[in-house]
Amino acid sequence: HLYAPTELVTRKKLERLYKVSLDEIRIHPSFLINKNKDDWNKIKLAKEFDWDVTVEIPVIPGKEKELRELIKYLDAIKVDYLNLNEFEMSETNADDLLKRGFHCKDSYSYGIKGSEKLALKLLKWIKSNKIKLNVHYCTAKLKNNVQLLNRVKRRAKNVCKKYDFITENGTLFRGAIYSKKDLNKIKRDLMKEFDIPNDLIEIDKEKKRILTAVYIVDKLKKELKKRELIPAIVEEIPTHDRLELMRDYL
């Protein structure tokens, strides 16, 4: 599935996504923040295509009336389901939320005080009004502890190279060789002298290093140091920025 803020949704983009066989488009309407209901039409537009159309939105305390209106609308146009997320505070929005009077519900959670209470109230209202729309409530704890971990694991399987080792938490263990010398020449020499297959060694231009299997850098660490190369074992999260959790120089 693909997350899509309504500001970016157009018919042309939807047509392109549909042609590449997207299974589900998950719309994020923004009217709770900017009071612009034009994005409701974007949801209806997505319903013209043969895929799952779902909506995901934070449960913002003080927005009960608006949320009820949205739920009725989504029920009427028959979207596949609605995800109600516990409203959260993050590093990027904390200052703004505090200025607006929002606070975390306790010292152990990023969930905003009043969000969960409103979500449960909405679920009871949905049931009592016999609304047929499938609605799910996702707590901040579930999203951060379970969903994020599962996404990392899935991404690790999709992006891992033959030289990577995937841990049970979805992080990647890999061997790394650092040097300010010509990495292309170093790679060619190592492949030739130590018979390293091409799919087990690669130049990482972005981080200016050579990547290979952990057992290879461990086995060759003495030889690598003789050549003034720096062998290491690194653990990384398989995200776009490949956040490094650990670097152990050998």
Side-chain angles (χ1 to χ4, degrees):
H1 64 266
L2 175 75
Y3 286 94
T6 46
E7 294 89 342
L8 300 180
V9 174
T10 64
R11 179 179 291 278
K12 186 176 180 180
K13 290 177 181 177
L14 293 175
E15 288 174 349
R16 291 178 63 190
L17 291 169
Y18 183 72
K19 286 179 180 178
V20 295
S21 303
L22 185 71
D23 298 304
E24 174 190 331
I25 186 159
R26 190 170 296 183
I27 306 289
H28 283 250
S30 59
F31 82 99
L32 289 179
I33 305 298
N34 61 25
K35 298 182 181 180
N36 179 10
K37 288 189 179 180
D38 289 343
D39 51 6
W40 288 23
N41 294 324
K42 304 286 187 71
I43 304 170
K44 194 171 183 179
L45 179 62
K47 283 288 296 177
E48 296 181 14
F49 299 83
D50 185 22
W51 53 17
D52 288 341
V53 177
T54 62
V55 173
E56 186 160 322
I57 200 162
V59 181
I60 302 176
K63 298 292 183 179
E64 181 178 354
K65 179 182 177 182
E66 292 89 339
L67 284 163
R68 286 190 180 190
E69 289 178 358
L70 175 64
I71 291 168
K72 288 179 180 178
Y73 177 75
L74 298 178
D75 186 46
I77 66 172
K78 295 181 170 57
V79 300
D80 290 277
Y81 64 87
L82 167 66
N83 268 355
L84 296 174
N85 286 334
E86 184 173 11
F87 196 30
E88 290 184 77
M89 187 174 289
S90 68
E91 291 181 2
T92 56
N93 70 13
D95 289 341
D96 190 42
L97 291 182
L98 289 170
K99 288 177 183 177
R100 293 170 182 247
F102 294 110
H103 299 275
C104 292
K105 59 184 180 183
D106 56 53
S107 58
Y108 303 101
S109 175
Y110 291 110
I112 297 295
K113 185 177 181 180
S115 180
E116 183 166 42
K117 183 178 180 180
L118 176 55
L120 297 177
K121 184 178 180 181
L122 286 169
L123 291 178
K124 289 181 180 179
W125 172 79
I126 289 166
K127 186 176 181 179
S128 62
N129 283 269
K130 299 181 180 179
I131 290 173
K132 295 181 180 180
L133 174 66
N134 288 319
V135 182
H136 308 272
Y137 169 57
C138 182
T139 65
K141 182 178 181 180
L142 175 66
K143 187 165 67 172
N144 293 327
N145 293 358
V146 179
Q147 290 184 353
L148 180 60
L149 178 60
N150 288 337
R151 286 177 185 170
V152 169
K153 287 180 178 180
R154 283 198 301 271
R155 181 168 176 80
K157 291 179 181 179
N158 290 330
V159 304
C160 73
K161 301 297 181 71
K162 193 172 181 180
Y163 52 74
D164 286 325
F165 174 80
I166 304 176
T167 71
E168 62 179 10
N169 291 323
T171 58
L172 301 177
F173 265 92
R174 43 187 29 175
I177 301 169
Y178 297 89
S179 177
K180 294 183 179 179
K181 300 178 182 178
D182 185 346
L183 295 179
N184 287 294
K185 184 178 185 306
I186 294 171
K187 178 190 172 187
R188 288 195 301 269
D189 291 345
L190 292 176
M191 289 177 65
K192 183 177 180 180
E193 292 182 42
F194 301 103
D195 197 26
I196 302 173
N198 190 53
D199 57 359
L200 286 182
I201 189 168
E202 181 179 25
I203 294 175
D204 181 356
K205 294 180 180 179
E206 185 178 342
K207 296 194 174 185
K208 298 178 181 179
R209 61 185 180 176
I210 293 174
L211 295 174
T212 186
V214 169
Y215 72 87
I216 290 176
V217 291
D218 186 54
K219 182 179 179 180
L220 300 180
K221 58 187 176 184
K222 290 183 179 180
E223 184 61 37
L224 294 172
K225 289 177 182 178
K226 286 181 183 178
R227 301 174 185 225
E228 298 182 338
L229 305 176
I230 304 173
I233 296 173
V234 297
E235 181 183 10
E236 298 177 345
I237 299 176
T239 49
H240 178 70
D241 59 357
R242 291 176 294 162
L243 179 65
E244 199 170 289
L245 300 179
M246 180 273 291
R247 184 188 300 180
D248 184 14
Y249 293 108
L250 301 178

